[in-house]
Amino acid sequence: MAASASYLSLVVLVALAAVVSGQLSPTFYDTSCTRALATIKSGVMAAVSSDPRMGASLLRLHFHDCFVQGCDASVLLSGMEQNAIPNNGSLRGFGVIDSIKTQIEAICAQTVSCADILTVAARDSVVAVRISSYDPRRAIMEVPLGRRDSIDANEAAANSDLPGPTSSRSDLELAFSNKGLLTVDMVALSGAHTIGQAQCGTFKDRIYNETNIDTTFATSLRANCPRSNGDGSLANLDTTTANTLHNAYYTNLMSQKGLLHSDQVLFNNDTTDNTVRNFASNPAAFSSAFTTAMIKMGNIAPKMGTQGQIRLSCSRVNS
Ligand code: HEM
């Protein structure tokens, strides 16, 4: 009964995603490039197995792509958005996407967009790092495809549209609502911070000056993040499990162990507290909300039809 209910909700979710996305469809490459998805998956699995942090980095790359003029691979173009403050010296995974693109060009020339490769790579990264108790059918997360690549990028928009680690809760809500995402989507997607790492410069102020932080947690972080210097030293976003995506992020917030200021504001005697409590106590609710929000994020302003182009190389527009 429970299984059929969750299957039904997956079918509804996929159908809803297809309606919302117009021409995007999970079967977009089924005839034009039958091996596209398998090639992306094996590229992601190989990258994550040699560098376990890479799943986190690819997921973040997709977020930073979609929030700046839509999911159009603009972030992959050399320079430009890559020089923006939230990205410079921080985004990773460009080489993994470039290498998957090279493999795909060899089997299906100029057919599969970089924007779709990045979208599927983010999905496969989530699958690679999910906890085993997730409903496997949900974890498959059929993503609508058919995006095309931009012929430009926008550094100024990357600076203005991406939220920062010192953002307030209302700033975060605004950044997400500007992209058509709800507060519950924002709280669910922030659960991505149960994997990967952050540089000391992004949380230094929090561990030395904020009061809504567990004392032992703050002290343990200070050793590797001194008051002066060391801005590039890394700490796990989730102190307990750096390479597994699960709802521990929310229990950490309830214990005042959010690493970034922008994490802890989600549980700070405010309107998002109840959503955090729900996701902390109910892994299935988190899994479902995360899946829904990922698909919504992947549907932000895609280029379709004759817009943009299918790049030959993800790091530059076609000549
Ligand atoms: C809510 C607003 C968000 C803010 C303010 C934020 C900010 C940050 C910052 C400052 C870092 C550390 C970067 C560094 O030090 O190099 C980070 C890492 C990360 N973020 Fe976010 N983020 C947000 C939302 C998201 C979303 C929506 C996702 C994906 C769905 C995401 C996925 C990640 C991942 C996986 C990492 C670790 C990356 C790695 O280890 O390479 N973040 N984020």
Side-chain angles (χ1 to χ4, degrees), residues 206-223 239 252-259 264:
R206 170 155 170 73
I207 62 173
Y208 286 102
N209 300 322
E210 296 192 354
T211 51
N212 62 347
I213 185 166
D214 176 86
T215 319
T216 314
F217 176 62
T219 306
S220 70
L221 289 161
R222 285 177 194 165
T239 46
N252 288 342
L253 294 186
M254 291 174 66
S255 323
Q256 300 196 313
K257 289 180 184 166
L259 183 64
Q264 196 59 57

Side-chain angles (χ1 to χ4, degrees), residues 176-190:
F176 278 72
S177 75
N178 283 343
K179 303 297 167 188
L181 299 180
L182 304 172
T183 299
V184 65
D185 299 323
M186 175 189 84
V187 178
L189 288 172
S190 296

Side-chain angles (χ1 to χ4, degrees), residues 199-201 203-204 207-208 221-227 229-230 233:
Q199 300 174 59
C200 156
F203 57 84
K204 185 177 284 188
I207 62 173
Y208 286 102
L221 289 161
R222 285 177 194 165
N224 200 32
C225 183
R227 269 186 201 277
N229 304 321
S233 299

Side-chain angles (χ1 to χ4, degrees), residues 53-64 67 86-93 126 162-167 172-173 175-176 181 185-203 231-235 237 242 245 249 259-263 266 290 293-294 297:
R53 185 184 168 195
M54 191 48 72
S57 302
L58 292 172
L59 178 55
R60 182 169 187 241
L61 201 50
H62 177 53
F63 162 49
H64 282 221
F67 262 54
N87 296 339
N88 195 9
S90 161
L91 281 185
R92 305 171 76 239
V126 170
L162 287 163
T166 57
S167 296
L172 295 176
E173 283 183 318
F176 278 72
L181 299 180
D185 299 323
M186 175 189 84
V187 178
L189 288 172
S190 296
H193 285 181
T194 188
I195 54 173
Q197 296 184 313
Q199 300 174 59
C200 156
T202 66
F203 57 84
D231 279 8
S233 299
L234 293 169
L237 279 153
L245 180 74
Y249 173 77
L259 183 64
L260 307 178
H261 173 87
S262 55
D263 291 321
L266 302 181
F290 185 82
M294 279 291 291
M297 184 169 79

